Amino acid sequence: MDGMVVTGIRRANDAAIDSKRASTNISDVVSATDVRALPDATIVEALRRVPGISVLPATDNEHPRDEAATPVIRGLGPSYNNVTIDGLTIASPGTPNGNLGSITRGVRLDILPSSMVSELQVVKTFTPELDPNATGGAINLKTRSAFENGGKPFFTMETSAGHASENGRPSDQSDPGYRFNATGSTTFGDEHQYGFTLSGNYQTLSSYTETHMTTDTIHESYYDNGGHLLSGTNLGNGYAVPQQDKYWYVDDKRDRYGLTGKFEAKFSDDVQGYATAGFYSFKDDMQRNELLIDPRNRNMVYNQTPTSGTYPVGDVEVGYSHQVTTTRTKLFQTGLDWHVDDRQVLSAKASWSDATYDEPIQMYKYITGAVRPAAVPTGTTGPGVTVNPTSAYGFTYDTSQFNQRFPVSPQSFYNYGNYSLLYWRPDYKRTAEDKILTGRLDYAFNRDESDRGFGFGAGVAYTTDKPGYSVYRDEFQPNATAPALNIADVLAPSNAPMRYLGLNLITIDPKKANAALRAVPLSAFNATDQSSFSNQDNFSHQEKIFGAYGDVGYRSDDLDILAGLHYDGTRQSTVGRQRQLDPTTGLYGYVDAPTQSRYSYLLPSAIMTYHINDNLDLRAAASRTLGRPPYDAYAARTSIGFVNTGDVGNPNAQGITVTIGNPQIKPRVSTNLDLALDWQLPGDYDGMLSAAVFNKRIQNEIFTLSNLGTFAYNGTTYNNVFISTPSNASKAHIRGLELSGVLNSLEPIVPWLSSFGVSGNVAMLDGGLEVPYSTGTTTIAQQSRHIDRLVGQPNYTANASVFYTHDGLELRAAFNRQGKALRSVVSNIAWQDLYWAPRSQLDLSATYAITPSLSVLAQVSNVTHTRITSFVGPRENLLKDSYSVPTTYWFGVRYTPKL
């Protein structure tokens, strides 16, 4: 034979090994073939296969969690990991966060298509030319070049039909879903000096998520032996009582599409350039049906035992929310490389990107025991509905299982005449945006891979980043002049069981509800005061970042050393909204609150690669990196939220949340040490074994400082307030061990298993965080406590994959597991810290080549139907929430002709 062509999974593994060995940095690579080989709907889901990376869903209390939204690199979340496309920063609308607004620093990788990617490069060490906002690492999405594979024309296309196992409850959903993606490239010109690549994708899939939970904040209550409610850290008799029993069914229809075009030119042997343009859209049409059972008056519990107790009265709330989230990302990049001579390269690059987030919302909520207020003149604001809990909805709770039960009487539950309108929110919208413009110049002398001896490099970069966020909401509640507005008039058929209650969810038909409410005169509603909600979270932010670096290196056949300094100077200005008293009118109103800050750092780094022999590489690195604070942390603002409008003015109301900005928040600074060993297996052993250890010491670690205390607002001092503000911890650390391996064929070990291959990795992570908190005493103003991990950090991650290739058939089973991870911290009440439960997922895929160009494929994700669960409590064993994650199936064809 003249040669052997290796395709599919084995080719993807070989490409990843070659990229890993060629990299100056300690890094991991996922190839495009590997991305397609598994049913990972998005880039972020593909990243969970990388050693040391875990993934998180949306962390707010409004959206479902059946899809991963952001990666966590070495225990550090998306705000502190740089994301680039071909080395240039991209704008992002941030990740959903219903408490603080929907924009935070960090790219939402779930909105970017995998079809645009040639490689996913995860860089875990810092070198001077990189953006220093990389405490955990950096993710670079490398797009395909038309000059790959000698510039030969290339085309691949895939079309599939999909189905989610949870589909069609409580309302009908479209099924099946579809996806289509295609990538093609060609070169042209007299000498094929020009190249063009075009990639496009479209995907739609509908599913529902079933959820069981307790309240958004506080979660559990404790009582003394007399049944009196306690607060703070007092655990009383030690019997935990969930504050609510809440059920959700969330219908989602997710549509993704994108288009990327890249033009490349070799103007001469010495000058090359490119230009890339892209547009990416993600739309999540979400309908949430919810039901919660609330004792309402939790001050006393009766007949309490370790797993039960009686609330003599209570109420039931039935809600519906329609939220359509649309994110759009546009980008344009261009660059030019000039090889001045054989040893000098001068390059210039620029990038513009714009990302937007729009979420119009309509909400309806009905409740038992509603007491309506007197009417106020139309066009003014006034009081809303209060709730009178009744004995018809009293219950004896059951906490003998992990999932609590609040078993109200079925006769009362289905008595629809007892439910009437609580509120109607017809005009409610969140918007966010981010615009990034960056440019850079780089010069390198004798720094090409083929160069030997000493070399050096230098460069400058300038970036402007302009994010912003706004929210607006109105709310109408029926007054004493309103008609009955009972839920019976707006019911929808329900086939959605509440698995721990033994009853079916009561669901609202939004068309009926909208028609019924708009038929009522506006004078029958009181408009409640939503000015605080519509102002307190709004902000605009601007960063101007100047970076400069210089490095010097030495390269021989066996040794590659690079060391240098990076200067980062950042100026920023933020305009938030603050509530102030107007001394002229004596009224409170919201005014702009501008703040400014700046910082500068000189960040050293050094990395060495020693090629011990042709198969063995040793890498060692040391560096200092930054972790810039979330955008919204800088805004000078104070926001307050109530569970119900009727809680306003009640000093003993429960579940009040307050968020306070911190314009003086500092970036975290991390000192990083890394050591890695890569062994490309010799001879017939086609594969690689790798090991890496790292240690990060972090100053000014950023976390959300939360305390349960008192708060004065609008003339009322509230006694049970959950107060949160972004803060710097005194110190933090994360260290870990990463082991990975791939063996493309088991033939050298067991000859008759030559068609089988294996790969796997495991990362053990050990973190710590010192959290300051206020004791509320006069003698000791502040203390701190130690937490054994960072927010978002699991204690381990693991992946294992077994694949089979023979005669055009490729089979793969991939297993992923993430250990227990910290979700959020309540600094002065340790038992209210939230944790993500350990979770495993098994995915299967099969591809069969009918011809060398045409293949059929089948993919199944989350075969075991594993849920995503959060827990809380002194022993970290009490339910916060549990979300179902559907099993999804895709069947299709892939066409890759030989051109």
Side-chain angles (χ1 to χ4, degrees):
M1 293 190 301
D2 294 332
M4 178 181 293
V5 178
V6 181
T7 61
I9 297 173
R10 293 179 178 177
R11 182 176 62 184
N13 290 336
D14 287 339
I17 289 171
D18 291 341
S19 295
K20 184 179 179 73
R21 293 204 68 189
S23 174
T24 300
N25 301 79
I26 297 173
S27 64
D28 288 287
V29 174
V30 181
S31 73
T33 304
D34 217 27
V35 172
R36 292 200 311 265
L38 285 166
D40 298 324
T42 64
I43 288 173
V44 69
E45 291 187 353
L47 283 169
R48 68 184 169 188
R49 318 289 178 184
V50 173
I53 289 189
S54 54
V55 297
L56 291 178
T59 57
D60 69 349
N61 293 306
E62 294 186 31
H63 299 86
R65 299 192 181 132
D66 54 320
E67 282 194 350
T70 54
V72 177
I73 302 178
R74 291 181 163 179
L76 295 159
S79 290
Y80 309 108
N81 301 311
N82 194 34
V83 175
T84 58
I85 294 178
D86 288 333
L88 294 170
T89 306
I90 182 173
S92 176
T95 56
N97 187 336
N99 296 327
L100 298 175
S102 290
I103 185 167
T104 58
R105 194 184 301 274
V107 173
R108 277 197 68 175
L109 285 171
D110 63 322
I111 67 177
L112 298 177
S114 59
S115 61
M116 65 176 287
V117 176
S118 174
E119 282 185 349
L120 295 177
Q121 302 170 333
V122 181
V123 180
K124 298 178 177 178
T125 54
F126 172 70
T127 46
E129 80 283 0
L130 299 177
D131 187 318
N133 186 57
T135 305
I139 298 170
N140 184 48
L141 312 181
K142 182 182 176 184
T143 59
R144 181 178 175 84
S145 169
F147 295 114
E148 290 180 24
N149 196 27
K152 295 179 180 179
F154 171 82
F155 179 76
T156 184
M157 178 185 70
E158 179 186 314
T159 182
S160 304
H163 167 74
S165 62
E166 294 178 341
N167 180 281
R169 285 182 178 173
S171 57
D172 290 337
Q173 292 179 277
S174 57
D175 191 52
Y178 302 95
R179 73 181 181 195
F180 172 84
N181 59 69
T183 300
S185 65
T186 188
T187 58
F188 57 96
D190 294 341
E191 299 179 357
H192 289 270
Q193 70 271 35
Y194 303 113
F196 183 70
T197 304
L198 185 65
S199 176
N201 72 286
Y202 173 77
Q203 177 176 309
T204 182
L205 185 68
S206 296
S207 65
Y208 73 81
T209 301
E210 171 262 314
T211 306
H212 186 220
M213 66 183 81
T214 180
T215 46
D216 294 341
T217 58
I218 311 301
H219 320 308
E220 307 285 338
S221 298
Y222 285 88
Y223 295 81
D224 62 18
N225 288 327
H228 300 93
L229 178 66
L230 303 174
S231 62
T233 59
N234 194 338
L235 299 179
N237 57 24
Y239 304 155
V241 184
Q243 292 200 351
Q244 289 178 344
D245 198 19
K246 188 186 298 188
Y247 294 85
W248 280 6
Y249 273 81
V250 182
D251 289 357
D252 283 281
K253 182 179 184 297
R254 297 185 174 104
D255 297 309
R256 294 177 166 91
Y257 65 89
L259 189 67
T260 307
K262 183 177 183 180
F263 171 76
E264 300 168 274
K266 295 182 178 179
F267 299 109
S268 69
D269 292 340
D270 300 325
V271 181
Q272 299 88 41
Y274 77 95
T276 301
F279 176 81
Y280 316 106
S281 175
F282 170 49
K283 180 180 179 181
D284 185 354
D285 190 329
M286 183 192 92
Q287 299 182 68
R288 184 179 73 238
N289 286 273
E290 62 180 42
L291 185 143
L292 64 89
I293 302 168
D294 194 333
R296 185 64 58 171
N297 182 3
R298 292 191 290 267
N299 291 325
M300 286 289 297
V301 67
Y302 300 87
N303 308 317
Q304 193 177 25
T305 74
T307 60
S308 67
T310 300
Y311 288 109
V313 297
D315 65 70
V316 179
E317 300 178 33
V318 178
Y320 171 88
S321 179
H322 186 196
Q323 303 176 212
V324 183
T325 300
T326 304
T327 62
R328 293 184 175 94
T329 303
K330 295 173 283 187
L331 71 89
F332 177 78
Q333 297 181 348
T334 186
L336 192 70
D337 291 334
W338 177 27
H339 294 260
V340 180
D341 56 33
D342 291 342
R343 306 180 74 184
Q344 299 183 81
V345 180
L346 181 65
S347 66
K349 292 182 179 180
S351 175
W352 168 87
S353 57
D354 176 270
T356 59
Y357 176 107
D358 293 287
E359 187 177 21
I361 305 168
Q362 287 199 8
M363 299 184 72
Y364 310 91
K365 181 163 282 190
Y366 291 74
I367 196 168
T368 62
V371 180
R372 295 175 175 177
V376 299
T378 303
T380 65
T381 60
V385 171
T386 58
V387 179
N388 180 26
T390 63
S391 59
Y393 298 97
F395 57 89
T396 297
Y397 66 81
D398 179 1
T399 58
S400 59
Q401 305 294 324
F402 178 67
N403 285 276
Q404 76 271 356
R405 292 165 170 80
F406 284 13
V408 297
S409 160
Q411 291 77 18
S412 297
F413 181 82
Y414 289 122
N415 187 348
Y416 299 130
N418 289 345
Y419 297 82
S420 63
L421 183 71
L422 174 62
Y423 65 71
W424 170 35
R425 295 172 180 168
D427 190 6
Y428 182 2
K429 187 174 184 179
R430 280 194 285 255
T431 61
E433 63 179 353
D434 186 24
K435 291 182 173 66
I436 293 181
L437 181 64
T438 185
R440 61 180 299 154
L441 290 171
D442 298 271
Y443 171 78
F445 175 80
N446 209 40
R447 288 302 301 160
D448 191 79
E449 289 184 20
S450 60
D451 292 333
R452 296 294 180 264
F454 286 97
F456 62 88
V460 294
Y462 182 78
T463 298
T464 62
D465 189 358
K466 297 180 180 180
Y469 173 79
S470 66
V471 63
Y472 172 82
R473 184 176 77 187
D474 61 11
E475 180 180 276
F476 297 95
Q477 299 197 16
N479 58 43
T481 70
L485 296 177
N486 285 335
I487 200 172
D489 301 324
V490 299
L491 288 176
S494 177
N495 61 347
M498 295 180 288
R499 64 168 65 195
Y500 304 106
L501 198 57
L503 303 169
N504 274 1
L505 187 76
I506 300 173
T507 57
I508 296 170
D509 185 323
K511 293 182 179 179
K512 291 181 180 179
N514 188 58
L517 297 177
R518 292 193 181 277
V520 177
L522 196 58
S523 60
F525 299 95
N526 285 359
T528 60
D529 185 359
Q530 297 294 304
S531 60
S532 291
F533 185 90
S534 300
N535 283 276
Q536 60 194 9
D537 282 335
N538 298 352
F539 75 93
S540 60
H541 180 75
Q542 178 173 282
E543 288 181 352
K544 298 179 179 180
I545 305 167
F546 174 74
Y549 74 91
D551 62 45
V552 61
Y554 173 80
R555 180 182 282 116
S556 67
D557 290 342
D558 299 326
L559 186 65
D560 187 359
I561 299 175
L562 181 67
L565 294 171
H566 185 107
Y567 170 80
D568 182 277
T570 301
R571 293 184 299 164
Q572 50 210 0
S573 59
T574 311
V575 179
R577 301 282 287 168
Q578 280 192 330
R579 187 172 176 271
Q580 292 184 2
L581 178 66
D582 187 332
T584 303
T585 64
L587 301 176
Y588 283 93
Y590 279 85
V591 298
D592 287 349
T595 63
Q596 293 183 337
S597 62
R598 62 190 305 169
Y599 55 82
S600 59
Y601 290 91
L602 194 61
L603 305 167
S605 64
I607 188 167
M608 178 205 73
T609 300
Y610 178 44
H611 301 287
I612 299 173
N613 56 43
D614 290 342
N615 298 91
L616 195 61
D617 298 328
L618 175 68
R619 289 181 170 87
S623 64
R624 282 172 67 83
T625 52
L626 297 180
R628 305 186 198 277
Y631 299 125
D632 49 23
Y634 287 106
R637 58 180 179 165
T638 301
S639 64
I640 186 167
F642 297 90
V643 175
N644 296 294
T645 306
D647 292 336
V648 177
N650 176 11
N652 296 314
Q654 301 287 326
I656 300 173
T657 57
V658 168
T659 301
I660 301 173
N662 183 2
Q664 302 306 313
I665 192 80
K666 301 176 183 177
R668 60 161 44 125
V669 181
S670 177
T671 301
N672 317 297
L673 297 174
D674 294 82
L675 186 67
L677 189 66
D678 300 321
W679 180 30
Q680 187 165 357
L681 300 178
D684 295 334
Y685 292 89
D686 180 14
M688 173 181 275
L689 300 178
S690 298
V693 292
F694 66 90
N695 183 61
K696 299 177 183 291
R697 293 286 174 178
I698 303 171
Q699 298 173 310
N700 299 325
E701 166 68 8
I702 298 170
F703 73 107
T704 299
L705 175 64
S706 301
N707 291 299
L708 186 64
T710 62
F711 186 78
Y713 175 78
N714 207 22
T716 301
T717 298
Y718 296 94
N719 299 315
N720 304 290
V721 182
F722 194 74
I723 305 171
S724 301
T725 186
S727 298
N728 293 111
S730 54
K731 60 181 179 180
H733 76 272
I734 180 73
R735 53 180 173 252
L737 168 67
E738 298 171 348
L739 302 173
S740 63
V742 58
L743 191 60
N744 268 330
S745 174
L746 297 180
E747 182 176 11
I749 302 173
V750 184
W752 58 274
L753 293 179
S754 62
S755 297
F756 286 88
V758 295
S759 65
N761 60 70
V762 63
M764 309 298 295
L765 303 171
D766 174 33
L769 176 66
E770 296 295 326
V771 179
Y773 66 92
S774 172
T775 64
T777 67
T778 57
T779 55
I780 303 176
Q782 192 165 331
Q783 294 183 352
S784 65
R785 67 182 177 95
H786 178 76
I787 300 176
D788 66 353
R789 66 197 68 207
L790 304 183
V791 175
Q793 176 223 314
N795 51 352
Y796 67 88
T797 65
N799 289 280
S801 177
V802 178
F803 50 90
Y804 171 88
T805 61
H806 185 72
D807 286 343
L809 177 65
E810 292 189 349
L811 306 174
R812 177 185 285 196
F815 175 80
N816 170 266
R817 182 168 176 83
Q818 296 179 189
K820 183 180 78 172
L822 181 62
R823 176 175 163 185
S824 65
V825 172
V826 178
S827 41
N828 66 335
I829 307 179
W831 65 265
Q832 288 190 16
D833 293 348
L834 287 181
Y835 290 86
W836 300 104
R839 183 176 184 273
S840 301
Q841 181 164 319
L842 176 64
D843 304 311
L844 304 175
S845 67
T847 304
Y848 178 69
I850 301 174
T851 71
S853 299
L854 183 65
S855 301
V856 293
L857 58 93
Q859 300 171 334
V860 187
S861 69
N862 195 25
V863 174
T864 55
H865 207 242
T866 310
R867 300 173 69 91
I868 291 179
T869 300
S870 298
F871 50 78
V872 69
R875 291 183 294 277
E876 301 164 7
N877 64 343
L878 305 175
L879 173 72
K880 163 57 178 78
D881 48 43
S882 180
Y883 288 69
S884 66
V885 179
T887 300
T888 58
Y889 306 86
W890 290 99
F891 302 93
V893 296
R894 183 179 298 138
Y895 178 59
T896 308
K898 185 176 181 181
L899 301 176

